[in-house]
Amino acid sequence: MYAYLKGTLEEITEDNIVVEVGNIGYNVKVSTTTADLLPPLGGEVKIYTYTLVREDTFSLYGFLTRDDLEVFKKLITVNGIGPKGGLAILSVMSADALRFAIMAGDAKSIAKAPGIGNKTAERVILDLRDKISLEDTLRGLGEPVGVTNAVAGTANLDNAMKKEAIEALVALGYSASDATAAVKKVEVTEETTVESILKMALKYMF
């Protein structure tokens, strides 16, 4: 119903914010991660929203990026993961970290979310593994928020090398999740090459 709300941040509680738009205050449920990234009260905020309408409920769930919103929408398609569970997972890990955990089969990290047990975490992996791509997962290896242009250029180069290394490992017969998990462990320095990333990643494969 609502694509996003853009207005003044009037209130922040543990799992809810109030955004005033046109003299109307909207209650929006958010993750703790989103709450931590919000501007001070009185500041302008743009929140991408998911609208939940049930017989006895009309609720808005808010996110600072479209990417977070799309991941949330995928999460709530999993049996046993409602909107509350989706926010719980995104409160302990970013969208990129969740993608990586799914690709790597890391149920333990997902199960750190309040109310999410190991079986539910494993179901998230099983249900969503085919709904995310290697390209999506590689976002977690890329440019951090707020970096300078020079550092961003280096980060992009590192990301490109890691991507090439992952693709090479997949071509050798390794799964995308195992390849991604191994390459993520490799520390990149000025002397690092794709070949050296491959050699180090292969050590982590065994």
Side-chain angles (χ1 to χ4, degrees), residues 5-72:
L5 297 175
K6 186 175 183 181
T8 305
L9 182 62
E10 293 292 339
E11 184 180 325
I12 304 175
T13 58
E14 184 177 353
D15 60 356
N16 190 85
I17 62 174
V18 176
V19 180
E20 182 180 325
V21 183
N23 295 319
I24 299 175
Y26 292 88
N27 279 305
V28 184
K29 298 182 184 299
V30 297
S31 68
T32 55
T33 300
T34 295
D36 289 342
L37 295 173
L38 290 169
L41 292 178
E44 185 177 77
V45 66
K46 182 177 182 179
I47 299 290
Y48 294 94
T49 57
Y50 173 82
T51 305
L52 175 66
V53 180
R54 291 177 178 166
E55 185 176 344
D56 58 348
T57 303
F58 183 95
S59 301
L60 292 175
Y61 294 81
F63 308 89
L64 289 174
T65 68
R66 291 184 186 275
D67 187 42
D68 287 343
L69 172 60
E70 291 306 313
V71 168
F72 173 79

Side-chain angles (χ1 to χ4, degrees), residues 82-155:
K84 183 177 180 180
L87 284 187
I89 292 174
L90 292 175
S91 289
V92 299
M93 61 201 319
S94 67
D96 282 332
L98 175 60
R99 288 191 186 94
F100 176 77
I102 291 170
M103 289 292 290
D106 184 5
K108 185 177 180 180
S109 292
I110 299 173
K112 290 179 181 179
I116 304 298
N118 285 327
K119 288 185 177 180
T120 303
E122 289 170 358
R123 190 178 302 123
V124 169
I125 293 170
L126 182 64
D127 287 1
L128 298 187
R129 179 171 282 169
D130 293 335
K131 296 180 181 179
I132 62 174
S133 67
L134 181 59
E135 289 292 331
D136 290 334
T137 308
L138 283 168
R139 294 179 190 178
L141 303 175
E143 174 185 336
V145 176
V147 297
T148 62
N149 289 336
V151 175
T154 302

